[in-house]
Amino acid sequence: MSNLIVNNAYRILGLDGSANQKDILKRSKEIINRLKIDDYPEYTLDINLPKKFRTEESVNDSLNRLQNMKNNLNEYFFWFNISDTVDENAFDYLQYGDAASYDEAIQIWKNASNTENSTGLLYKKNLALLYCLMLLNEENDIYLKESLSNWKEIIDSDKFWSAFEKSYAVNNDQTINSDRIIDFRENIVKYISDIYHDLYLQHGNKKYVKDFQDIFGTLGDKTEENLLKPIHQSIYDTIKKLEILIQNHSTLSI
């Protein structure tokens, strides 16, 4: 998988979005030094993290992405941000790594997001991310439905984007202009579609791309390329074969 959640730079470094550049550099050096002595590091944010996921190459790549202003925004959006006690309480449960604890974390964010203020929308982003990570290991129709619903609600909300821009400015050392946010927002559906396309590939279940299309009205570039294009090509090839057969039949008839 290559999507922005699975291979997120913050995920690889075991950090949340509130980490500044000093924290990021320090953590990357720490991981590399530990890997050199075969001491594989584990962190509290390692949700459904595969064994031996961290390598020197992936850590250096993560550092480069987070030091690049354009990539940094992408990584920040598609990872958790622990901003208050609600987020902290949710993560306290996630550290146990069992289904019951995950359900507790989900409930904390769901309850806290039932508000009209913009903070509730930021909780919904954390919740959508958690659902997607859980879907990596488990096919669950409720998680699928809830994740898509949360993504749709927040990306369509001007209030969310205003809160997100402020959150990014507070937590990140790099400055960014509003045009960059606007450009990112215009492409966000494409980025999210990649997540569900990868889930479709992993589980071999077209429901992920079908349900995504039902909510967002599009399939996304990856699905168009890898799922529909071969179908269209097959139809085209069949039509050409039929045309040849008809042409040959007409020739024989004459």
Side-chain angles (χ1 to χ4, degrees), residues 1-3 6 132 135-139 144 148 192-213 219-231:
M1 283 190 174
S2 60
N3 68 57
V6 173
C132 288
L135 285 169
L136 292 173
N137 293 343
E138 174 186 356
E139 291 201 78
L144 176 57
L148 289 168
I192 295 174
S193 73
D194 288 349
I195 296 167
Y196 292 89
H197 176 80
D198 289 348
L199 286 168
Y200 146 66
L201 291 179
Q202 176 165 332
H203 296 296
N205 189 342
K206 294 180 181 178
K207 183 176 178 63
Y208 292 98
V209 293
K210 179 183 180 300
D211 286 6
F212 177 86
Q213 182 184 31
L219 284 171
D221 293 346
K222 276 190 176 181
T223 306
E224 291 279 0
E225 180 70 22
N226 298 323
L227 187 61
L228 290 188
K229 189 175 180 179
I231 294 174

Side-chain angles (χ1 to χ4, degrees), residues 11-183:
R11 185 188 192 204
I12 291 172
L13 297 181
L15 296 168
D16 79 289
S18 66
N20 58 36
Q21 290 294 319
K22 183 178 179 180
D23 296 329
I24 291 166
L25 182 60
K26 180 180 178 181
R27 176 58 61 84
S28 65
K29 289 181 177 179
E30 173 192 319
I31 295 174
I32 289 175
N33 287 335
R34 291 180 63 178
L35 288 174
K36 287 179 178 178
I37 57 173
D38 294 325
D39 177 18
Y40 188 78
E42 296 181 358
Y43 301 102
T44 57
L45 294 179
D46 291 353
I47 304 169
N48 282 351
L49 192 74
K51 292 184 180 299
K52 305 299 181 182
F53 188 73
R54 296 184 174 100
T55 64
E56 287 191 44
E57 182 181 3
S58 68
V59 170
N60 283 323
D61 176 64
S62 297
L63 176 62
N64 290 335
R65 278 185 278 158
L66 292 177
Q67 289 178 333
N68 178 283
M69 186 170 66
K70 179 179 179 180
N71 292 333
N72 183 289
L73 177 61
N74 296 5
E75 305 298 329
Y76 182 84
F77 183 91
F78 284 104
W79 197 241
F80 299 96
N81 186 39
I82 304 175
S83 61
D84 56 24
T85 56
V86 171
D87 296 322
E88 290 171 357
N89 290 338
F91 266 98
D92 283 343
Y93 281 102
L94 290 177
Q95 292 176 41
Y96 293 104
D98 58 83
S101 298
Y102 284 178
D103 287 341
E104 290 287 349
I106 287 171
Q107 202 56 52
I108 288 173
W109 271 323
K110 285 185 74 171
N111 292 340
S113 66
N114 289 325
T115 175
E116 295 297 323
N117 63 42
S118 57
T119 303
L121 294 168
L122 295 175
Y123 295 145
K124 285 181 183 289
K125 184 174 81 73
N126 278 348
L127 190 53
L129 290 166
L130 177 58
Y131 282 133
C132 288
L133 282 171
M134 295 172 74
L135 285 169
L136 292 173
N137 293 343
E138 174 186 356
E139 291 201 78
N140 185 304
D141 287 346
I142 294 176
Y143 295 164
L144 176 57
K145 178 182 177 182
E146 291 289 329
S147 66
L148 289 168
S149 175
N150 282 351
W151 285 129
K152 179 64 173 174
E153 180 179 352
I154 65 174
I155 69 172
D156 285 349
S157 169
D158 291 335
K159 184 185 293 186
F160 165 78
W161 287 105
S162 176
F164 172 74
E165 185 171 357
K166 291 177 182 177
S167 172
Y168 182 80
V170 168
N171 288 309
N172 204 282
D173 298 335
Q174 302 185 46
T175 58
I176 190 168
N177 59 44
S178 296
D179 289 342
R180 175 71 187 104
I181 295 289
I182 292 171
D183 179 68

